[in-house]
Amino acid sequence: MLIYVIRHGQTDWNAERRLQGQKDIPLNAVGRAQAEANGLFLASLLGERHRDFDFVASPLGRTRETMEILRKAMGLDPLAYRTDDRLIEVSFGSWEGSTIKELKVDNRRGVEERACNKWHFIPPGDDAESYEILSWRTGSWLKSVERPTVCVSHGGVIRTFFRMLANVPDHDAAEGSIPQDKILRIDRDAGEISWL
């Protein structure tokens, strides 16, 4: 099954390196340009085959805005897509909105624990998740895909795809760069995953 995954475009919090998680932060001008460029590239890649594809996004505002810009750039109805809660970003709990530098002031030990085992670390907060916990719901979504799909989601979600599909070690999956100006191509059945 072929899946194209796009990380939402840049937000001001991305630019400031703030832990964004499930906070609903809008795209900035750079992010809107990235979404449009990804849409134009996807249009050239898929051509008329786009009719065979399902389009699905995380329900957060930045992913929906990215999807709508992308679809408009493809010449499609911007609103003709669906959302799936399983694609929401990992929750950083009470750390959301902070930078790691800021957290080191009040929670140096927690930051150090996270650095030692980022994949399994759960930040403080009742709703906080680790990347491992996130992978339980993203894995459920991956198994549910029944037709070729274009998906707009988040950096943490993409990290789980690398861990599950390419057997990337925990540490590398948690630390790897997840660009906002590229498209991830997944061939689920072949277990192939690569940036375009």
Side-chain angles (χ1 to χ4, degrees):
M1 190 66 59
L2 198 56
I3 306 170
Y4 291 103
V5 184
I6 297 99
R7 183 182 177 193
H8 64 80
Q10 186 187 83
T11 69
D12 287 344
W13 278 20
N14 289 143
E16 296 165 7
R17 301 185 62 81
R18 296 192 178 279
L19 296 173
Q20 198 159 224
Q22 297 181 2
K23 295 288 189 218
D24 220 351
I25 309 304
L27 301 184
N28 61 22
V30 171
R32 289 189 292 275
Q34 290 168 331
E36 182 176 18
N38 279 332
L40 293 171
F41 178 68
L42 199 56
S44 70
L45 187 67
L46 298 183
E48 290 303 308
R49 290 186 308 140
H50 74 267
R51 299 176 199 282
D52 300 330
F53 279 74
D54 187 19
F55 285 76
V56 61
S58 155
L60 293 182
R62 61 188 180 270
T63 43
R64 287 186 290 109
E65 185 179 3
T66 299
M67 178 66 90
E68 289 163 20
I69 293 170
L70 179 143
R71 285 185 58 84
K72 184 176 180 185
M74 294 179 73
L76 305 175
D77 176 354
L79 302 178
Y81 67 94
R82 62 187 184 86
T83 61
D84 192 308
D85 288 348
R86 292 173 293 182
L87 295 170
I88 290 177
E89 180 63 295
V90 66
S91 171
F92 291 112
S94 63
W95 283 14
E96 291 186 0
S98 299
T99 65
I100 295 298
K101 184 177 180 181
E102 290 167 349
L103 289 169
K104 284 181 180 177
V105 174
D106 295 323
N107 197 342
R108 178 171 291 279
R109 183 170 178 205
V111 171
E112 289 171 354
E113 287 176 15
R114 180 177 187 258
C116 290
N117 192 2
K118 193 173 177 181
W119 187 262
H120 294 279
F121 179 78
I122 302 173
D126 293 340
D127 63 343
E129 300 171 294
S130 66
Y131 288 121
E132 177 65 23
I133 292 169
L134 172 64
S135 72
W136 302 343
R137 60 180 160 86
T138 59
S140 169
W141 179 80
L142 268 176
K143 289 177 187 171
S144 75
V145 174
E146 296 179 344
R147 57 186 280 217
T149 298
V150 172
C151 167
V152 177
S153 196
H154 304 272
V157 171
I158 293 171
R159 291 180 191 288
T160 68
F161 293 163
F162 273 100
R163 178 72 188 95
M164 290 183 286
L165 295 169
N167 293 317
V168 172
D170 294 354
H171 177 269
D172 295 342
E175 294 290 343
S177 174
I178 308 294
Q180 292 167 301
D181 60 350
K182 293 190 182 307
I183 296 174
L184 185 68
R185 181 187 184 275
I186 294 174
D187 184 332
R188 189 188 63 190
D189 301 329
E192 296 173 355
I193 184 168
S194 60
W195 291 106
L196 302 177

